[in-house]
């Protein structure tokens, strides 16, 4: 006979497969409390949720007439804990919708004739035994609390190991003196030690945001887990001016007369105006080779400055000057524009266009399709990104996603970060067209900062000159070039398991640039490391 009492907790945990122990002659006490809902509602929720890996349990009718769900062994997932003795066993299982279930299977080889007792009465008896045996005097002690805490600790640990990127102020806690350490800090410290000893594998560090999971592996266990929120779309922080209004998209800026797939239309549509009447994409969804090669050539000629433009009123220099004036320093030639790389834009079809969602001129907006993985690099670059599949030359890999900040906001954030001595930095400038309007207001000189909010692209490392990715500005929702998307495409065929890299285009000797230089470990033959001074 099986007796089932359920205790547990519900939060977002997904993970490995598990099974309840099948005890032919056993009495199963499955204890589950549900923090958010009653267990019955919860099981109903499991039924409704198509993505669930385990089915709703059978109902067991007890002597008092109530129906209590009984877990089916084959339905359960995430068997984690081992046995506590040869004949009794503790199992923890979690489901795809975040239910955690703690089950204690007791030996019943003596074939007791179990009778249904009042749950509270059983718990009271056990609590009394515990108090006596272990000298527990705290009146708050209860088996239910113990079980709940057990499940909550399970959640904490599986969140590290299975699927979530957690944002915890754990590292600061380690620096505190013993007298200051709170129970929460201690908990984090224990977890950090567990993580350091074990290679971490997170099945989907995007927490289900991306259509395809992106795993994270910490192979030598040496890196701290990244602390950031995974987002799919660029998001305005505060002062940035980005106008997505449909009214701004004129007939010249969309192809309302097109139908189906623009790439198969006989006449090129209005959306090819950026690319001189030709689509940037092939019908197979790759970048047109000629277009790509021109972009690569422009990027590589950076050192010769062939493709640089110089702003009359450079937002980067203006902000440095403004801050210096506040500090009562004089203006000097130091504040002349140091140059920005010219870029070729792609314009994709969008909402006001007549074509459909599968139109071949909509690649970046459809998101990531390549199988990617975040991993700990062995050269000391921190985390990096690799592809788990071979990628053809010209394949769209991902977009650089972050908070949209103004140049001034980024400057202020950077000042704070310098004070905090942060190792890695994650900004990019949307500076492809800063010179076109003479004087840009601060809210129009935009940057992306992926430090706290970003996507997988924030992990892509720099490689001097021969990187296998190139960043290309893509216009989707806005007809101007103040705001645009930064899309990464492969510059050549990339083998499965190769690290993905892009050339950050940093001037390693410019200490005022918002993208801070670092000691480059890219390993490229063309790496300018030897000739650089570092800060
Ligand atoms: C956009 S992040 C890339 C992800 C980063 N490696 C991480 O662990 O989060 C940029 C930072 O990564 C590091 N980095 C990127 N490329 C590097 C390289 N070639 N050599 C050394 N460090 C690099 C630098 O600290 C840089 O500030």
């Amino acid at each position: 006979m099986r007796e089932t009492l359920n205790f547990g907790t519900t939060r977002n945990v997904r993970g490995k497969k598990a099974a309840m122990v099948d005890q032919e002659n056993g009495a199963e006490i499955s204890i589950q409390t549900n923090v958010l809902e009653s267990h019955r509602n919860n099981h109903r929720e499991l039924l409704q949720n198509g993505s669930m890996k385990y089915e709703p349990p059978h109902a067991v009718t007890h002597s008092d007439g109530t129906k209590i769900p009984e877990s089916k062994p084959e339905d359960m997932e995430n068997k984690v804990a081992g046995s506590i003795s040869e004949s009794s066993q503790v199992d923890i299982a979690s489901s795809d919708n975040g239910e955690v279930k703690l089950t204690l299977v007791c030996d019943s080889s003596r074939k007791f004739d179990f009778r249904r007792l009042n749950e509270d009465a059983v718990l009271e008896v056990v609590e009394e035994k515990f108090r006596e045996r272990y000298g527990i005097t705290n009146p708050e002690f209860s088996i239910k609390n113990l079980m709940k805490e057990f499940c909550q600790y399970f959640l904490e640990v599986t969140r590290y190991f299975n699927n979530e990127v957690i944002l915890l102020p754990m590292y600061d806690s380690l620096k505190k003196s013993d007298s200051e350490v709170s129970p929460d800090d201690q908990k984090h410290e224990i977890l950090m030690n567990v993580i350091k000893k074990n290679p971490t594998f997170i099945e989907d560090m995007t927490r289900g945001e991306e259509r395809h999971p992106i795993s994270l592996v910490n192979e030598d266990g040496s890196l701290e887990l990244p602390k950031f929120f995974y987002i799919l779309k660029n998001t305005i922080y505060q002062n940035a001016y980005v106008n997505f209004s449909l009214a701004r998209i004129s007939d010249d800026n969309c192809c309302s007369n097109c139908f189906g797939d623009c790439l198969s239309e006989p006449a090129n549509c209005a959306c090819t105006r950026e690319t001189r009447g030709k689509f940037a994409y092939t019908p197979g969804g790759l970048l047109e080779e000629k277009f790509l090669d021109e972009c690569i050539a422009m990027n590589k000629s950076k050192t010769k400055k062939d493709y640089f433009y110089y702003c009359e009123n450079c937002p980067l220099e203006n902000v440095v000057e403004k801050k210096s004036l506040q500090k009562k320093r004089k203006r000097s030639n130091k504040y002349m524009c140091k140059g920005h790389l010219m870029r070729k834009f792609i314009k994709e079809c969008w909402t006001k266009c007549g074509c459909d969602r599968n139109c071949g001129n909509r690649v970046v907006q459809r998101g990531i399709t390549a199988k990617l993985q975040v991993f700990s690099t062995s050269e000391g670059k921190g985390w990096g990104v690799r592809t788990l599949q071979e990628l053809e030359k010209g394949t769209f890999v991902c977009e650089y996603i972050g908070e949209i900040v103004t140049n001034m906001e980024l400057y202020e954030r950077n000042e704070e970060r310098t004070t905090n001595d942060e190792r890695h930095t994650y900004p990019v400038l949307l500076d492809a067209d800063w010179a076109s309007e003479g004087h840009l207001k601060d809210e129009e000189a935009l940057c992306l900062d992926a430090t706290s909010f970003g996507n997988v692209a924030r992990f892509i490392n720099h490689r001097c000159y021969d990187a296998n990715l190139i960043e290309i500005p893509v216009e989707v929702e806005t007809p101007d070039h103040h705001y645009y998307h930064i899309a990464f495409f492969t510059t050549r065929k990339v083998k499965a398991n190769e690290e993905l890299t892009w050339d950050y285009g940093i001037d390693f000797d410019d200490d005022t640039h918002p993208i801070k230089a670092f000691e480059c470990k890219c390993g490229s033959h063309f790496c300018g490391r030897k000739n650089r001074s570092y800060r």
Side-chain angles (χ1 to χ4, degrees), residues 223-224 226 375 377 379-385 400 422-427 450 456-464 499 501-502 504 506 508 515-523 527:
L223 291 181
E224 293 171 356
F375 72 108
T377 60
E379 304 87 2
K381 297 180 288 187
W383 298 100
V385 180
Y400 196 97
E422 289 186 20
R423 185 180 161 208
H424 303 300
T425 54
Y426 305 86
V456 63
R458 79 191 281 288
F459 295 107
I460 305 177
N461 286 317
H462 160 86
R463 188 172 169 96
C464 298
E499 179 174 1
T501 53
W502 64 293
Y504 292 2
I506 312 177
F508 280 81
I515 303 173
K516 295 290 165 218
F518 43 84
E519 188 181 342
C520 187
K521 296 171 182 159
C522 73
C527 178

Side-chain angles (χ1 to χ4, degrees), residues 13-270:
V13 168
R14 292 183 298 163
K16 296 177 270 177
K17 296 259 181 268
M20 293 271 282
V21 180
D22 188 17
Q23 297 271 307
E24 280 235 35
N25 301 311
E28 177 183 291
I29 302 173
S30 163
I31 302 179
Q32 177 186 348
T33 53
N34 196 325
V35 169
L36 302 178
E37 298 158 275
S38 79
H39 67 259
R40 283 187 189 79
N41 283 343
N42 199 27
H43 285 303
R44 218 171 288 134
E45 184 189 301
L46 305 188
L47 251 182
Q48 285 159 359
N49 182 343
S51 67
M52 277 303 305
K53 296 268 171 52
Y54 75 86
E55 292 163 11
H58 305 307
V60 173
T61 308
H62 285 295
S63 47
D64 64 3
T66 52
K67 282 197 166 188
I68 305 271
E70 180 193 30
S71 304
K72 273 204 296 179
E74 67 274 19
D75 293 337
M76 295 301 293
E77 292 186 309
N78 282 5
K79 179 184 164 193
V80 173
S83 61
I84 51 170
S85 79
E86 282 194 2
S87 51
S88 358
Q89 199 158 355
V90 174
D91 286 279
I92 309 174
S94 72
S95 69
D96 258 14
N97 79 336
E99 187 188 54
V100 175
K101 190 168 182 174
L102 176 61
T103 305
L104 176 62
V105 182
C106 298
D107 173 26
S108 72
S109 51
R110 279 173 286 162
K111 303 243 187 298
F112 284 118
D113 178 16
F114 278 107
R115 300 252 161 83
R116 173 89 183 138
L117 275 176
N118 174 304
E119 280 175 25
D120 290 337
V122 175
L123 291 173
E124 238 172 74
V125 172
V126 179
E127 278 163 11
E128 204 39 54
K129 275 254 171 249
F130 262 69
R131 285 203 173 88
E132 264 176 48
R133 191 174 302 157
Y134 300 107
I136 299 167
T137 50
N138 190 330
E140 281 176 18
F141 170 75
S142 82
I143 298 288
K144 276 189 187 175
N145 284 345
L146 185 80
M147 295 304 194
K148 242 191 240 178
E149 209 156 306
F150 204 111
C151 291
Q152 268 153 5
Y153 266 90
F154 171 81
L155 280 168
E156 294 285 349
V157 176
T158 49
R159 275 197 293 171
Y160 279 105
F161 286 102
N162 289 344
N163 70 338
E164 280 198 30
V165 176
I166 310 171
L167 299 139
L168 295 173
M170 58 184 86
Y171 309 109
D172 296 341
S173 74
L174 296 179
K175 290 179 204 144
K176 290 181 187 166
S177 72
D178 281 354
S179 56
E180 286 175 275
V181 177
S182 71
D184 263 3
D185 291 344
Q186 284 171 3
K187 197 163 79 182
H188 293 151
E189 190 169 336
I190 293 166
L191 286 168
M192 278 317 297
N193 286 334
V194 175
I195 287 160
K196 275 182 195 150
K197 283 189 202 134
N198 296 280
T200 313
F201 180 79
I202 295 175
E203 256 173 66
D204 184 10
M205 48 93 61
T206 82
R207 292 178 297 150
E209 288 286 341
E210 296 285 1
R211 252 181 302 153
H212 307 287
I214 298 177
S215 53
L216 176 145
V217 285
N218 193 4
E219 277 146 352
D220 61 4
S222 63
L223 291 181
E224 293 171 356
L225 280 172
K227 292 184 268 179
F228 78 110
F229 289 96
Y230 198 101
I231 54 169
L232 279 187
K233 290 188 170 162
N234 292 329
T235 309
I236 296 168
Y237 163 61
Q238 193 166 296
N239 294 331
Y241 175 75
V242 182
N243 189 347
F244 288 144
S245 116
L246 287 174
R248 292 178 70 218
I249 302 174
S250 66
D251 287 348
D252 296 348
N253 290 313
C254 65
C255 58
S256 45
N257 295 328
C258 282
F259 185 77
D261 177 8
C262 292
L263 265 62
S264 55
E265 297 262 322
N268 283 334
C269 75

